Amino acid sequence: MNKSRIYFDHAATTPLLPEVREYIYEISKSIFGNPSSTHAEGRIAKSFVEEHRKIIATILGCSTSELYFTAGGTESNNLILKSAVHNLGVKKIISTKIEHSCNIECFEWLKRNCQTEINYVAVNQQGQIDLNALEELLIKSTSKTLVSLMHVNNELGTILNLDPIGKLCKHYNALFHSDTVQGIGFYQYDLKSNALDFMSGSAHKFYAPKGVGFVYINQQNKIEPLIHGGSQERNMRAGTENILGIGAMSRALSWCHEQFEERMSHLQFIKNYMLTSLQQNFVNLEFNTPIENSSAKILNVQFPFFEGSELLPLILDIEGLSISGGSACNSGAEKASHVISAIRPDDKGKAIRFSFAYSNTKEEVDKAIEILLKSLKGKI
């Protein structure tokens, strides 16, 4: 990446850790067999996959039998949602309108094609749900229900408290799925102590390659595969395993786990410094990210409307600042964010998401503020 540019879009994707790049190179020279083959090369590859499954399962606090490798978060979430309906008798899904688009679109597909009832819990202006409203929906539910709620919102950074939701789900005999794509590597999960039935992860959000991820399925829930064609992943996910991706994902997650306290402290410093710098240099800004209970890596800022405000991400890009005006998962073009539309239906301003990594510096924040001042001069 051009070192003169400032990359503040790590919630969209992250560069590879240097250690991960080196590890990929090393294992690519020696481990190339198909894990489904019975010869020596295949056995070595199979052992490698299982070794790294154990590493990830240990970090997450689950059994290796509950962890399956996939191509990423979108596949993992689709597997969970569709299989819950098809295999576990789920007739109703309770969620919010600020989930990741892969979940929202899956809900609507299930509604159209499987007559699944979809109930959306209202959220406040910073993406927090009302637990009483969730409980009311659970009380009224007369059919098998799945609660599907994102742990760390990918646009707002809002962190959901999983424990009380898990307890509610358990009390009312509902299944609980959490899209944890933005939380993995930035939150210390212990699946032994919570009531999650399903969760998902995507390697490229925590400094590993794209195209590999995982799904956690509590061993009490027996579902069928979404992708057919082979017996890989204990008959849960057909297709030859991405050996290099799995190894790299494991190595990156291990690094995140080992460096957790220092890294999160640095992220919080960068985020706070950015927030304070914005407040000192601009008036009429609002923050979509809550001050409390939000990810240290995400800061979503609402800039007031001005003529051409929809072009702000492009203007900043030209000036060398990479940010997001919404989720990066919809298309290459800037589209209206369904998350911001849900929490600010009448606001015509422009939301900008700044998202940070361990490698970002105070000096980069200063430079980003200079770029914003230049780009917004005379406009707000």
Side-chain angles (χ1 to χ4, degrees):
M1 189 175 72
N2 188 336
K3 291 186 178 180
S4 66
R5 292 187 60 85
I6 299 168
Y7 187 75
F8 280 175
D9 200 20
H10 290 91
T13 196
T14 56
L16 296 181
L17 281 169
E19 296 93 328
V20 169
R21 282 200 305 269
E22 293 171 8
Y23 189 57
I24 291 173
Y25 176 68
E26 288 303 317
I27 60 180
S28 68
K29 293 187 293 184
S30 57
I31 301 177
F32 60 87
N34 188 324
S36 297
S37 298
T38 58
H39 49 57
E41 289 82 2
R43 294 195 302 273
I44 290 170
K46 180 68 173 177
S47 177
F48 178 86
V49 169
E50 295 311 316
E51 172 192 348
H52 287 288
R53 192 191 312 274
K54 184 176 181 180
I55 290 171
I56 296 173
T58 299
I59 291 172
L60 297 177
C62 67
S63 166
T64 55
S65 65
E66 298 174 310
L67 196 66
Y68 302 88
F69 295 125
T70 67
T74 295
E75 181 191 336
S76 295
N77 288 326
N78 272 260
L79 168 63
I80 293 163
L81 296 172
K82 292 177 180 177
S83 295
V85 170
H86 292 151
N87 306 135
L88 300 177
V90 167
K91 302 295 183 183
K92 177 185 289 187
I93 295 175
I94 299 174
S95 190
T96 74
K97 290 187 176 180
I98 63 168
E99 303 299 303
H100 190 278
S101 58
C102 74
N103 294 317
I104 295 286
E105 292 189 21
C106 195
F107 299 153
E108 295 305 314
W109 186 90
L110 289 167
K111 181 180 178 179
R112 289 192 309 271
N113 295 281
C114 304
Q115 291 71 56
T116 308
E117 182 182 349
I118 310 297
N119 291 163
Y120 291 111
V121 182
V123 297
N124 66 16
Q125 196 162 317
Q126 293 184 316
Q128 295 149 329
I129 70 166
D130 184 341
L131 284 177
N132 292 325
L134 173 61
E135 185 170 19
E136 286 180 16
L137 288 172
L138 287 168
I139 290 171
K140 293 176 182 177
S141 182
T142 58
S143 55
K144 188 68 175 180
T145 300
L146 171 73
V147 174
S148 178
L149 296 169
M150 186 184 295
H151 183 213
V152 179
N153 188 273
N154 60 311
E155 295 195 35
L156 307 178
T158 307
I159 297 178
L160 221 58
N161 189 343
L162 296 177
D163 289 339
I165 297 170
K167 290 175 182 176
L168 279 177
C169 290
K170 189 173 183 179
H171 180 75
Y172 292 102
N173 198 32
L175 296 169
F176 185 22
H177 159 234
S178 186
D179 176 344
T180 54
V181 165
Q182 291 291 345
I184 301 293
F186 299 87
Y187 183 89
Q188 293 180 307
Y189 294 91
D190 183 5
L191 291 168
K192 291 186 181 73
S193 63
N194 64 38
L196 273 177
D197 290 285
F198 311 98
M199 69 183 289
S200 49
S202 187
H204 77 105
K205 303 297 187 181
F206 50 89
Y207 318 115
K210 299 164 185 63
V212 63
F214 61 82
V215 59
Y216 160 78
I217 303 172
N218 185 287
Q219 58 190 354
Q220 296 179 2
N221 299 304
K222 306 300 181 184
I223 65 175
E224 295 182 7
L226 183 68
I227 298 173
H228 296 85
S231 60
Q232 293 90 352
E233 291 303 291
R234 305 185 303 286
N235 294 302
M236 184 57 70
R237 200 270 186 184
T240 304
E241 292 91 342
N242 180 353
I243 298 173
L244 296 182
I246 290 167
M249 176 169 63
S250 169
R251 180 58 61 95
L253 188 56
S254 295
W255 181 88
C256 287
H257 183 68
E258 292 161 4
Q259 306 291 328
F260 188 82
E261 297 297 336
E262 180 182 352
R263 189 168 50 90
M264 296 306 292
S265 176
H266 177 72
L267 280 173
Q268 193 64 56
F269 167 77
I270 293 294
K271 176 182 174 179
N272 290 345
Y273 186 63
M274 184 75 184
L275 188 151
T276 302
S277 299
L278 286 166
Q279 290 174 324
Q280 290 173 345
N281 286 279
F282 300 95
V283 294
N284 300 324
L285 293 186
E286 295 185 77
F287 294 92
N288 296 318
T289 300
I291 301 301
E292 302 292 333
N293 300 318
S294 65
S295 172
K297 70 174 180 177
I298 295 175
L299 180 64
N300 193 299
V301 184
Q302 191 76 10
F303 287 86
F305 173 80
F306 60 89
E307 194 66 35
S309 58
E310 70 278 3
L311 297 176
L312 183 55
L314 177 59
I315 293 168
L316 297 177
D317 181 38
I318 291 170
E319 294 295 329
L321 175 58
S322 299
I323 51 81
S324 173
S327 172
C329 302
N330 291 319
S331 75
E334 279 290 338
K335 299 173 73 172
S337 162
H338 71 278
V339 173
I340 302 302
S341 297
I343 64 171
R344 291 181 176 271
D346 302 318
D347 196 317
K348 295 182 179 179
K350 182 61 180 174
I352 296 296
R353 181 188 68 185
F354 303 94
S355 50
F356 314 105
Y358 70 97
S359 55
N360 289 132
T361 65
K362 179 175 178 287
E363 289 71 27
E364 285 182 314
V365 173
D366 292 335
K367 181 61 178 176
I369 295 296
E370 288 180 19
I371 291 172
L372 283 162
L373 286 167
K374 176 184 176 182
S375 302
L376 294 169
K377 186 175 182 181
K379 295 178 180 176
I380 64 171

